[in-house]
Amino acid sequence: MTQNIHKLALLTWAVVYPMITLLLTGLEPFVSDLATPLRTLILTALMVPAMVYVAMPFAKSRLKNWLEH
């Protein structure tokens, strides 16, 4: 069990890092003049649903065997 949680943490980081990088790069021209809390709100409003409904289910299905062992 403990090993699986470490694998899930690593997988989450591996999905979150590129997603944040891509979103920050893509959103920069549109949000550069906004205050940091508002930029963060927009980023997380896009990122969390994408992570929960798309990225993590895809990554978990691709790495199911690794996560279970």
Side-chain angles (χ1 to χ4, degrees):
M1 175 71 176
T2 303
Q3 183 180 9
N4 290 352
I5 201 162
H6 296 310
K7 288 180 179 181
L8 187 57
L10 179 61
L11 179 61
T12 303
W13 174 82
V15 174
V16 166
Y17 176 78
M19 185 173 288
I20 288 174
T21 303
L22 289 172
L23 283 172
L24 284 174
T25 302
L27 290 173
E28 183 63 28
F30 306 104
V31 299
S32 61
D33 294 336
L34 301 176
T36 299
L38 189 52
R39 287 193 310 242
T40 304
L41 177 67
I42 293 167
L43 174 73
T44 57
L46 295 172
M47 187 178 151
V48 170
M51 284 289 298
V52 171
Y53 297 113
V54 179
M56 284 305 290
F58 176 78
K60 286 171 72 175
S61 72
R62 293 291 195 188
L63 297 170
K64 182 180 179 182
N65 290 334
W66 177 71
L67 287 169
E68 292 176 353
H69 294 94

